Amino acid sequence: MAEELFQEIRQVDRLVHEPARLAILAVLYGVEEADFLYLLRTTGLTKGNLSAHLAKLEAAGYVEVRKRFLGKKPNTVCRLTPEGRQAFERYLTWLKRLARNLG
Amino acid sequence: MAAEASRTPQVQEMMRRARSAWWEDGITEIVSGLGLLILGFLGFQKEMLPAPRNMGWQLAWTVWLGVFIVGGNLLIRRLKARYVWPVAGYATPRQDRDWRWAGAFFLTLILLVVVAAWNPPHFGAAIAGLPLFIFLLALYRYTRLRRFLVIGTLALVEGLVLALFPLNATAALHLILGTIGLFFCFSGLWNWLRFRRRLQEAPHG
């Protein structure tokens, strides 16, 4: 029983499990797309942190990052890829299963 | 699994925030309010004059409806891109659960057509506010912004009040549209000022 539980815990997607990245994914899951400033305001992360975590999520193929211009200002727009969406849904299912097994 | 994830309270809150973000700066309300106000005014004039004399109003109403539908969203996006997104951030609401929204829109459209086609005196004015109430109720459910519920209720009440006057349903409908437009302008302006003040107080909050 305990071994099964630990195996379950080991299955966690570490990329999603990190709190800052989880917050980014949760925001992006709820929207079609959002820009850097919106993510900054909703997650409460610092610019450096947000950039670093977005880069990791982009490298994993979970987030698509697009650069554009709003007037003369550069603007970074992010959206979840289908893989990112699935990873987030898988994570939530895993979390609920784990909570059930622990409870 | 997707539906289960969407039901998670935090995810729902994120979805709701993105939906209401579209309205919270007041720009959408000001633009659509002005559009509705002019549409209501032109429509009411068109209804008040006898057939050959109202041709000019009819033409102006049709042209304005086209301009409003095509240009309204474009203007809102332009204004937001210039005044809102650079300081408050940009997010578009998720589309894949919007079928209820589309349903409310089409139900409103059908009811509007029925009211306009039916056009009974007095009673028509009483029910003219109903489709607009349904639309604003759906908007409230979609954004959870209470002001839409208030404006929707006012539309319903206005329809009942207008039933006391000898107005046909289409004229009443345009009068209500104009009033909604006016309320939208006021609430949009109020929200725009509130939004600016909030940004000044907490630029990243």
Side-chain angles (χ1 to χ4, degrees), chain A residues 71-82:
Chain A
K72 286 177 183 168
K73 286 183 180 174
N75 186 247
T76 306
V77 181
C78 312
R79 63 158 65 213
L80 275 190
T81 60

Side-chain angles (χ1 to χ4, degrees), chain A residues 55-94:
Chain A
K56 279 184 187 163
L57 290 168
E58 191 187 12
Y62 286 179
V63 169
E64 183 190 310
V65 179
R66 201 176 79 239
K67 307 267 184 194
R68 64 172 188 179
F69 278 90
L70 271 184
K72 286 177 183 168
K73 286 183 180 174
N75 186 247
T76 306
V77 181
C78 312
R79 63 158 65 213
L80 275 190
T81 60
E83 293 79 37
R85 198 164 284 277
Q86 278 171 14
F88 182 72
E89 287 162 359
R90 258 199 319 270
Y91 179 79
L92 287 187
T93 311
W94 172 84

Side-chain angles (χ1 to χ4, degrees), chain B residues 132-171:
Chain B
L132 298 168
F133 170 72
I134 292 172
F135 186 73
L136 286 160
L137 183 70
L139 195 57
Y140 161 71
R141 296 262 306 157
Y142 183 67
T143 60
R144 292 280 162 201
L145 295 172
R146 218 169 294 154
R147 57 184 186 264
F148 294 128
L149 190 62
V150 174
I151 298 175
T153 310
L154 285 172
L156 200 62
V157 172
E158 190 184 353
L160 292 171
V161 172
L162 288 177
L164 302 172
F165 300 93
L167 273 177
N168 66 43
T170 320

Side-chain angles (χ1 to χ4, degrees), chain A residues 2-97:
Chain A
E3 182 52 38
E4 272 175 31
L5 187 67
F6 292 138
Q7 196 168 350
E8 183 86 55
I9 293 171
R10 279 198 296 271
Q11 281 174 1
V12 66
D13 184 343
R14 286 167 193 271
L15 199 73
V16 182
H17 190 57
E18 202 284 327
R21 285 195 289 271
L22 186 58
I24 296 169
L25 290 173
V27 175
L28 289 178
Y29 190 84
V31 302
E32 202 64 38
E33 57 180 21
D35 73 355
F36 192 82
L37 187 57
Y38 186 86
L39 287 172
L40 207 64
R41 284 163 56 87
T42 43
T43 59
L45 296 169
T46 63
K47 282 182 185 175
N49 246 334
L50 181 59
S51 280
H53 287 301
L54 274 177
K56 279 184 187 163
L57 290 168
E58 191 187 12
Y62 286 179
V63 169
E64 183 190 310
V65 179
R66 201 176 79 239
K67 307 267 184 194
R68 64 172 188 179
F69 278 90
L70 271 184
K72 286 177 183 168
K73 286 183 180 174
N75 186 247
T76 306
V77 181
C78 312
R79 63 158 65 213
L80 275 190
T81 60
E83 293 79 37
R85 198 164 284 277
Q86 278 171 14
F88 182 72
E89 287 162 359
R90 258 199 319 270
Y91 179 79
L92 287 187
T93 311
W94 172 84
L95 205 60
K96 280 174 188 164
R97 206 170 48 227

